[in-house]
């Protein structure tokens, strides 16, 4: 069972959440939208590499909406430490694995420690490629990208919240990846499908970024040819791309190794984005979704599962509170627990499950939504999708991402276990991580 402190905190948390949700019932519609709430604590972006070796920046990518991103970049000059991740699946009594076999760990390779301008520089890192003639391992190192969608029942939470910032930093350090935390529009100011549209719009933006960067590199590497024509082409790219090209991503991102990671309602968005990415096909090139992680998904349906009945009054996010959140998110005329945004198992949902990417699902023992998430994973496995489930004992919904619970052993173990599985699909050296 959860500790006494967690139980007491849950009581106050639910009272405060209920008050906040009820106060938003009459909120006016706003197509531009908002991505955070004033009462929630946020962590400022810091383009300097902090003591943990991670720099952050916030960017607004859509002039018509409030859609924004926070980019987490590991220090490209920082020596990669050997992984400290342990294979916890067989030894951790708080964890059970609902898939055949165990994960095997591996170590990382330490890059060259030399730096272009010296590590620990006081200047904000800009991410631009070095001048021609300068070759350095840090600039040639391309990192996988994790696209992260925060939780909060579609009505609260933020990609810049203190808790989300700490969680994303943890993922960056465990996996040595770039994390892009999406600030999607919140309900009820922006109801469905706003948050889901924001998710797919980020994918299209990333595809544009990759193509702009490649175009700029191609012109920079051009040898010979008409000098006047080259000057004209360079001017066109600079005029169109210099203001929109994101330098951190241009210098370090490998978008052919992109992983979706959704937390609570963010898992619903991630699953939608994965489906739309398959439908888009080559329109998203070179962006490729190689896997997704669904952390305690915010799934529900008209026919209740056993956990939805037995754990309806569970900790932090009980069923009554979540139903209110769904009422604030879905348009009144579309309100239905078997809505495609709510229930991944409704008949006829496209594309077929066999086209979904490898999917890791994380569930908590005392989460009333757990059974539907497990059932979804089972359906994926039936069509030969790699879809293990990690279930953590004595845990509650958002146990690995909620501010109060971030430092618990279960939260740390969960992040490490996710890292072990994700490395299977982002490694450039083959599938040395297997189970």
């Amino acid at each position: 069972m959860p500790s006494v402190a967690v139980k007491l905190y849950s009581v106050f948390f639910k009272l405060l959440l209920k008050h906040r949700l009820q106060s938003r019932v009459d909120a006016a519609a706003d197509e531009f939208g908002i991505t955070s709430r004033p009462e929630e604590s946020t962590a400022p972006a810091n383009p300097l590499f902090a003591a943990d070796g991670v720099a952050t920046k916030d960017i607004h990518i859509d002039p018509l909406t409030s859609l924004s991103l926070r980019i987490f970049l590991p220090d490209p000059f920082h020596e990669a430490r050997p992984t400290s991740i342990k294979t916890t699946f067989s030894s951790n009594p708080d964890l059970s694995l609902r898939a055949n076999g165990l994960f095997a760990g591996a170590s990382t390779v330490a890059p060259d420690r030399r730096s272009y301008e010296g590590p620990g520089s006081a200047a904000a890192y800009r991410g631009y490629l070095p001048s021609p003639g300068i070759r350095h391992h840090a600039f040639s190192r391309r990192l996988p990208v994790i696209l992260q969608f925060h939780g909060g029942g579609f009505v609260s939470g933020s990609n810049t919240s203190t808790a989300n910032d700490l969680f994303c930093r943890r993922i960056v350090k465990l996996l040595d990846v770039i994390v892009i935390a999406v600030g999607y529009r919140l309900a009820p100011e922006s109801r469905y499908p706003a948050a889901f549209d924001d998710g797919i719009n980020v994918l299209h933006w990333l595809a544009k970024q990759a193509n702009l960067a490649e175009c700029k590199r191609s012109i920079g590497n051009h040898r010979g040819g008409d000098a006047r024509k080259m000057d004209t082409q360079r001017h066109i790219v600079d005029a169109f791309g210099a203001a929109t090209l994101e330098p951190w991503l241009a210098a370090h991102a490998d978008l052919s190794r992109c992983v979706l990671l959704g937390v609570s309602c963010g898992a619903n968005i991630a699953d939608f984005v994965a489906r739309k990415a398959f439908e888009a096909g080559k329109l998203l090139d070179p962006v490729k979704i190689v896997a997704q992680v669904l952390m305690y998904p915010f799934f529900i349906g008209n026919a209740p599962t056993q956990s939805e009945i037995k754990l309806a009054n569970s900790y932090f996010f009980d069923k009554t509170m979540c139903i209110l959140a769904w009422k604030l998110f879905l348009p009144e005329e579309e309100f239905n627990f078997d809505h495609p945004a709510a229930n991944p198992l409704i008949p006829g949902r496209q594309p077929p499950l066999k086209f979904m990417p490898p999917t890791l699902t994380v569930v908590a023992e005392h989460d009333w939504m757990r059974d539907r998430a497990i059932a979804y994973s089972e359906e994926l496995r039936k069509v030969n999708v790699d879809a293990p489930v990690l279930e953590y004992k004595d845990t509650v919904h958002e146990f690995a991402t909620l501010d109060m619970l971030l430092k618990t052993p279960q939260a740390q173990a969960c992040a490490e276990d996710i890292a072990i599985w994700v490395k299977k699909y982002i490694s450039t050296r083959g599938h040395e991580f297997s189970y």
Side-chain angles (χ1 to χ4, degrees):
M1 293 293 289
S3 67
V4 174
V6 169
K7 292 179 180 178
L8 290 175
Y9 185 75
S10 173
V11 173
F12 291 105
F13 181 92
K14 288 201 282 188
L15 288 173
L16 182 61
L17 180 62
K18 182 179 180 180
H19 171 73
R20 289 177 175 175
L21 291 178
Q22 290 175 338
S23 68
R24 293 171 189 146
V25 171
D26 298 322
D30 181 1
E31 186 174 349
F32 186 81
I34 60 172
T35 59
S36 63
R37 301 290 180 187
E39 67 270 13
E40 297 174 351
S41 63
T42 59
N46 182 7
L48 303 177
F49 290 107
D52 62 357
V54 179
T56 58
K57 71 159 69 168
D58 295 333
I59 55 176
H60 177 225
I61 66 171
D62 184 0
L64 300 179
T65 72
S66 57
L67 174 61
S68 61
L69 307 175
R70 170 162 289 186
I71 302 176
F72 296 78
L73 177 71
D75 189 344
F77 303 111
H78 189 72
E79 182 177 1
R81 295 180 296 274
T83 180
S84 61
I85 299 173
K86 301 184 182 117
T87 306
T88 60
F89 303 103
S90 59
S91 60
N92 188 347
D94 294 329
L95 170 67
S96 63
L97 178 65
R98 292 176 179 264
N100 294 327
L102 303 173
F103 298 145
S107 61
T108 59
V109 177
D112 190 342
R113 188 65 182 94
R114 293 169 296 172
S115 66
Y116 172 52
E117 291 184 343
S121 171
Y125 180 65
R126 299 185 182 278
Y128 295 107
L129 294 174
S131 301
I134 296 177
R135 296 290 181 266
H136 189 274
H137 173 80
F139 289 108
S140 63
R141 196 164 65 107
R142 294 280 165 178
L143 302 175
V145 173
I146 291 186
L147 200 58
Q148 189 258 2
F149 300 92
H150 66 81
F154 300 111
V155 297
S156 61
S158 167
N159 64 325
T160 61
S161 71
T162 303
N164 200 67
D165 186 86
L166 291 172
F167 172 73
C168 289
R169 288 175 180 274
R170 177 175 287 174
I171 295 298
V172 169
K173 289 183 286 184
L174 285 171
L175 279 166
D176 194 28
V177 296
I178 297 172
V179 170
I180 302 176
V182 179
Y184 55 84
R185 287 171 288 171
L186 301 177
E189 292 84 354
S190 303
R191 293 177 181 257
Y192 175 87
F196 286 60
D197 287 346
D198 289 346
I200 194 63
N201 286 342
V202 171
L203 271 194
H204 285 287
W205 179 83
L206 288 175
K208 175 185 174 183
Q209 288 294 313
N211 287 305
L212 282 172
E214 181 58 34
C215 184
K216 204 168 183 70
R217 279 193 294 270
S218 296
I219 291 178
N221 293 333
H222 185 81
R223 296 293 181 267
D226 184 86
R228 182 177 297 179
K229 183 178 179 181
M230 281 302 302
D231 286 342
T232 302
Q233 289 177 334
R234 190 184 301 273
H235 174 73
I236 291 173
V237 173
D238 285 347
F240 174 68
T244 57
L245 184 64
E246 167 43 49
W248 287 11
L249 300 182
H252 301 293
D254 178 0
L255 292 169
S256 68
R257 294 182 289 158
C258 187
V259 176
L260 304 177
L261 191 158
V263 176
S264 188
C265 66
N268 299 44
I269 300 174
D271 191 63
F272 170 85
V273 170
R275 293 172 184 267
K276 291 299 181 182
F278 170 79
E279 292 176 355
K282 293 189 176 184
L283 292 176
L284 290 175
D285 281 350
V287 177
K288 183 179 179 182
I289 305 300
V290 298
Q292 68 172 343
V293 179
L294 308 181
M295 300 181 68
Y296 19 82
F298 205 63
F299 294 153
I300 195 172
N302 286 332
T305 64
Q306 184 177 354
S307 65
E308 289 173 2
I309 297 172
K310 183 179 178 181
L311 301 172
N313 193 34
S314 55
Y315 305 97
F316 293 99
F317 300 91
D318 59 33
K319 190 172 183 178
T320 301
M321 216 74 68
C322 293
I323 289 175
L324 179 55
W326 277 111
K327 288 181 178 179
L328 293 173
F329 176 63
L330 293 175
E332 186 175 351
E333 64 276 10
E334 295 185 40
F335 183 76
N336 184 347
F337 292 147
D338 280 341
H339 190 283
N343 189 353
L345 296 174
I346 56 174
R349 191 178 181 191
Q350 295 296 321
L353 292 181
K354 66 180 180 180
F355 296 117
M356 293 300 288
T359 302
L360 173 66
T361 303
V362 174
V363 297
E365 182 184 14
H366 298 287
D367 182 3
W368 66 270
M369 292 173 272
R370 59 189 294 278
D371 281 1
R372 200 173 301 273
I374 294 171
Y376 181 46
S377 182
E378 290 173 348
E379 292 301 313
L380 289 172
R381 290 200 295 276
K382 288 179 183 178
V383 291
N384 298 319
V385 175
D386 179 18
V389 174
L390 300 181
E391 179 181 1
Y392 294 80
K393 294 183 179 180
D394 296 330
T395 55
V396 299
H397 190 80
E398 288 225 40
F399 72 91
T401 45
L402 204 61
D403 50 1
M404 179 197 178
L405 305 175
L406 265 172
K407 295 183 179 180
T408 61
Q410 293 98 325
Q412 180 65 38
C414 178
E416 293 179 351
D417 296 339
I418 289 172
I420 291 172
W421 185 83
V422 168
K423 282 186 177 182
K424 259 174 55 170
Y425 295 100
I426 63 174
S427 171
T428 58
R429 294 172 289 167
H431 293 309
E432 66 263 51
F433 298 90
S434 60
Y435 67 92

